[in-house]
Amino acid sequence: MKRNVLVVANWKMHGQLSWIEKFVKELNRGLALETAEHLVLCPPFVYMEHLYRSLIGTGIRVGAQNMHGTSQGAFTGEVAASMLVDVGCKFVILGHSERRTQCGEDDRQVAIKFELAKQSGLTPILCVGENAEERAAGLTEVVIQRQLDAVLLHAGQEAFSGAVIAYEPVWAIGTGNSATPEQAQAVHAFVRRHVSRHDPDAAAVMPIVYGGSVKAANARLLAEQSDVDGALVGGASLVVSDFLAISEGFMSAVAR
Ligand code: PGA
């Protein structure tokens, strides 16, 4: 039996109201009841409340793609954790590699957001992962340990209790070049071992999801890995039939 399975759609900067309405309608049509509670949809901020309302009664939850690291104040263009909670958001993706590289977010800023998310009642989905050069240099575990340690240092030994970690190798995101199931399993096992040194109870139940070119074709094999508890899906989450097939791939692992 798998840990709590989560399949998270990261829509990034895609979608519009009419598209979302169609997406939700088609998703509900194809979805088994027991799968819904394992799904999280992360739209752009402006669509959060609309999406939340259109999902009431379905069991599908809503997440954000980012938040600010302060609770309120003079931060033009930013969104606070409490505002996300206010409009029905339950999860927040933090430290996505696109934010680390394009917006200059560093480990410490991500750790500050992580702690605030938890305090605000959101479940953080912490993204960790190495880039191609780091993998080639044999630094995968060094990089991921550094990213995890920043959170442990800031938010304490029990930081990962109630949290989700997403292993997202940067070289696999949006490239069509997914990590192999074996590569994903090795890093997921490392992440769990490392968290377990600080909080064995949290490590045992914490979902560790894989992200990076997850598709219908590779979902099932990834799902079969003992430490792969779900997926963070970018491109393929924009196509209902693909997202449904990926979800089913992971749900088949729940039953085992
Ligand atoms: P991808 O993106 O599925 O398009 O590779 C994953 C992500 O960035 O979370």
Side-chain angles (χ1 to χ4, degrees):
M1 185 75 175
K2 275 267 183 188
R3 291 169 205 89
N4 186 19
V5 167
L6 272 185
V7 180
V8 183
N10 177 10
W11 285 347
K12 308 191 180 185
M13 202 170 73
H14 294 285
Q16 55 191 146
L17 283 177
S18 54
W19 179 86
I20 290 174
E21 248 150 57
K22 194 160 167 272
F23 187 99
V24 169
K25 213 176 278 167
E26 285 175 21
L27 186 62
N28 278 324
R29 206 177 296 139
L31 199 61
L33 209 59
E34 61 275 16
T35 307
E37 65 183 279
H38 298 272
L39 303 187
V40 179
L41 304 181
C42 302
F45 287 136
V46 287
Y47 299 128
M48 180 82 62
E49 188 179 3
H50 179 83
L51 180 62
Y52 168 74
R53 289 190 189 284
S54 58
L55 291 173
I56 287 174
T58 65
I60 303 169
R61 288 168 293 173
V62 174
Q65 300 173 16
N66 181 37
M67 55 174 254
H68 196 256
T70 330
S71 55
Q72 63 172 347
F75 300 102
T76 303
E78 294 291 345
V79 173
S82 58
M83 298 170 186
L84 296 173
V85 172
D86 209 20
V87 295
C89 179
K90 296 277 186 262
F91 293 80
V92 59
I93 298 170
L94 295 175
H96 190 281
S97 73
E98 283 152 18
R99 295 209 55 88
R100 291 181 191 261
T101 57
Q102 297 167 13
C103 308
E105 285 189 21
D106 62 22
D107 290 337
R108 193 168 159 278
Q109 286 168 313
V110 172
I112 288 169
K113 291 183 181 194
F114 183 99
E115 189 181 36
L116 182 58
K118 281 190 74 182
Q119 285 168 354
S120 308
L122 292 168
T123 300
I125 302 172
L126 175 76
C127 298
V128 296
E130 80 289 2
N131 64 30
E133 294 73 42
E134 290 161 344
R135 174 162 281 263
L139 294 173
T140 298
E141 293 187 358
V142 173
V143 170
I144 288 168
Q145 182 164 331
R146 189 199 75 219
Q147 293 169 331
L148 296 173
D149 284 348
V151 171
L152 289 161
L153 185 70
H154 183 78
Q157 301 284 304
E158 293 175 3
F160 290 109
S161 166
V164 178
I165 294 178
Y167 169 51
E168 293 217 313
V170 181
W171 47 270
I173 295 175
T175 59
N177 181 22
S178 166
T180 64
E182 295 73 24
Q183 285 172 325
Q185 169 58 26
V187 177
H188 284 225
F190 169 75
V191 168
R192 203 178 301 284
R193 269 200 313 278
H194 190 63
V195 172
S196 167
R197 285 187 203 116
H198 301 267
D199 187 346
D201 294 343
V205 298
M206 176 181 68
I208 306 177
V209 302
Y210 169 79
S213 298
V214 176
K215 297 192 170 33
N218 58 22
R220 202 168 283 262
L221 279 179
L222 285 163
E224 278 172 10
Q225 306 303 308
S226 59
D227 286 291
V228 179
D229 305 312
L232 178 51
V233 190
S237 76
L238 298 169
V239 180
V240 179
S241 56
D242 290 349
F243 188 60
L244 276 169
I246 290 166
S247 306
E248 275 154 23
F250 278 91
M251 286 307 291
S252 69
V254 181
R256 282 199 308 271

